[in-house]
Amino acid sequence: MAHATNGKRIAIVTGSASGLGRELAVRLTERGWFVAGVDFDAERQATLVDELTADSYRAFVGDVSDEAFVKASVAEIAGLGHIDLLINNAGQPSFKVPTAYEGADVDRCLKGLKGMILWSVETLKADGETDLKIANVMSTAATRGNANESVYCAAKWGEKGYTQSLKAAYKGSSVKIVGVYPGGIDTDFYRDSHDYVSEEKQHTFMDPGELADVILFNLVNDANLTVSDILIERNYR
């Protein structure tokens, strides 16, 4: 067990191969963590594996909402040692006028919510519900309604409800639940929606690396406290 991770603390990061998830995973390894990174993109996972060392990062390739994949992955990760941190970051956008949404758009947005639940449940069971921090990365879309984001907002509001319920269930225990609500981020997240967010506007959004630093500053520290909600708005210009 100690050989596999060299005694490092273990974190699971979903959506780890690109965007904010990638920045979180890389920065955790730089802070001495072992990261189990989860993503459906095998090519991007392979690139990240090449950049990081075997004793700091292990790639799991699959759909975060596939229950069998989640169960098998968490079992393997738990075999390496106690899981200290789960960051539920994976999610997919869908930005359309209200009448343009179809069932496939709903299914796409709900993958993040389903994955958040499945990874949380399996990690809690694997850890015996002790000394675990779960950070659910959502969006400011979970705090308000936005035009042309009706289904996306609905999914994020569901994620917020799940996060708040976990907080209530584990209040006073060694399980800590953190809600993370970032505004617009300059990543590939909008690549299929340039009719909604232009590339020019996207590049005014928050830098994912800087955002990851702010999140981890609040999430991973030695202080005897827990920042329970992290709301980060971008500077408008």
Side-chain angles (χ1 to χ4, degrees):
M1 182 185 304
H3 175 71
T5 65
N6 287 334
K8 298 179 177 181
R9 290 178 292 178
I10 298 174
I12 300 173
V13 179
T14 68
S16 64
S18 63
L20 176 60
R22 188 183 194 282
E23 298 297 336
L24 289 167
V26 170
R27 280 161 168 72
L28 280 168
T29 65
E30 291 173 347
R31 287 165 167 77
W33 286 68
F34 176 87
V35 175
V38 184
D39 204 285
F40 68 88
D41 193 318
E43 185 176 348
R44 285 183 171 178
Q45 282 282 52
T47 299
L48 192 51
V49 167
D50 288 341
E51 292 179 14
L52 302 173
T53 60
D55 68 342
S56 67
Y57 186 83
R58 183 171 300 182
F60 292 81
V61 179
D63 183 343
V64 294
S65 65
D66 180 333
E67 189 169 16
F69 168 67
V70 176
K71 287 179 178 290
S73 299
V74 173
E76 183 175 342
I77 298 164
L80 302 174
H82 181 273
I83 301 167
D84 300 278
L85 174 65
L86 166 64
I87 301 181
N88 283 308
N89 168 75
Q92 296 189 47
S94 186
F95 306 129
K96 297 183 176 182
V97 298
T99 54
Y101 278 105
E102 300 176 345
D105 300 312
V106 179
D107 292 340
R108 182 183 185 187
C109 284
L110 289 177
K111 278 182 177 286
L113 172 58
K114 183 178 179 181
M116 179 181 290
I117 295 170
L118 293 176
W119 284 93
S120 297
V121 168
E122 290 305 312
T123 305
L124 283 162
K125 290 194 296 186
D127 270 4
E129 302 186 355
T130 58
D131 298 324
L132 170 67
K133 183 173 285 185
I134 297 177
N136 291 335
V137 180
M138 293 164 275
S139 164
T140 51
T143 67
R144 57 179 177 250
N146 295 327
N148 302 336
E149 296 184 19
S150 54
V151 171
Y152 182 67
C153 284
K156 295 303 172 184
W157 279 56
E159 291 175 10
K160 181 180 181 180
Y162 180 68
T163 301
Q164 295 298 98
S165 295
L166 282 185
K167 286 184 183 181
Y170 291 100
K171 183 178 180 180
S173 76
S174 62
V175 174
K176 304 302 179 185
I177 312 298
V178 180
V180 184
Y181 305 91
I185 312 169
D186 186 8
T187 70
D188 288 346
F189 194 70
Y190 299 97
R191 64 185 177 276
D192 298 326
S193 302
H194 284 153
D195 57 329
Y196 173 69
V197 177
S198 68
E199 286 196 61
E200 182 180 4
K201 180 179 179 181
Q202 176 187 316
H203 293 325
T204 69
F205 290 177
M206 291 183 287
D207 177 86
E210 293 177 350
L211 177 59
D213 284 334
V214 171
I215 291 172
L216 292 177
F217 175 81
N218 287 277
L219 190 62
V220 180
N221 56 64
D222 295 324
N224 184 27
L225 55 82
T226 298
V227 178
S228 61
D229 287 294
I230 305 172
L231 174 65
I232 308 171
E233 299 272 13
R234 63 188 174 89
N235 291 329
Y236 288 83
R237 51 186 169 141

